[in-house]
Amino acid sequence: MFIVRWFLGRIILLLNFIFTPKKRKRPQDEQTMIDAATEQLALYQYKACPFCVKVRRAMRRQGLNIATLDAKQDPHKSTLVTEGGQAKVPCLRIEEDGEIRWMYESSDIINYLDKRFA
């Protein structure tokens, strides 16, 4: 099963590389404001997870510079489990007004990003 997952993961990454969406172009001052707003966001993800790829593609289409953290690595994995409550990816960590929210579903994450930054 490991070999099948590894192979499918590489196919997903290859197709993502070949068909990478174009980054949204904004005026520099508007992009600076968006970058400041995205500093409070972090995406916990696995590199070859198809749902994580879906979210990363949506982030690229929007031109969002959100930090991506590998949830397989120990400090990020333990943070995801202890603070977020689940070892599930993709997970968007949202810090707003001193409160931290954890959003787990890829469709919910994309809808949130579309509403906030569209």
Side-chain angles (χ1 to χ4, degrees), residues 37 40-41 93-101 112 116:
Q40 304 299 319
L41 304 175
R93 180 183 183 273
I94 305 166
E95 188 174 341
E96 291 178 319
D97 303 325
E99 292 185 19
I100 297 174
R101 290 187 333 182
Y112 170 79
R116 184 164 176 197

Side-chain angles (χ1 to χ4, degrees), residues 2-113:
F2 172 78
I3 295 171
V4 172
R5 279 189 174 175
W6 182 86
F7 184 70
L8 289 176
R10 296 305 170 249
I11 290 173
I12 289 169
L13 291 175
L14 176 66
L15 291 174
N16 183 47
F17 177 74
I18 292 170
F19 300 108
T20 301
K22 291 186 178 183
K23 199 172 187 179
R24 182 175 179 183
K25 302 288 183 191
R26 292 188 178 97
Q28 185 60 37
D29 57 338
E30 186 179 341
Q31 185 64 45
T32 304
M33 290 175 41
I34 296 289
D35 290 344
T38 58
E39 286 179 0
Q40 304 299 319
L41 304 175
L43 180 70
Y44 288 79
Q45 49 101 32
Y46 297 154
K47 190 167 184 95
C49 166
F51 298 105
C52 298
V53 169
K54 178 181 171 183
V55 173
R56 288 195 313 261
R57 290 175 66 84
M59 288 169 26
R60 179 158 176 89
R61 273 193 298 276
Q62 291 257 358
L64 304 176
N65 297 318
I66 297 173
T68 56
L69 305 171
D70 187 4
K72 289 184 180 180
Q73 302 299 322
D74 188 33
H76 305 303
K77 183 178 183 176
S78 62
T79 302
L80 182 61
V81 172
T82 57
E83 294 182 24
Q86 300 178 41
K88 182 179 170 185
V89 292
C91 179
L92 184 66
R93 180 183 183 273
I94 305 166
E95 188 174 341
E96 291 178 319
D97 303 325
E99 292 185 19
I100 297 174
R101 290 187 333 182
W102 298 82
M103 190 176 293
Y104 282 97
E105 294 296 322
S106 60
S107 298
D108 293 342
I109 294 170
I110 292 169
N111 287 337
Y112 170 79
L113 295 175

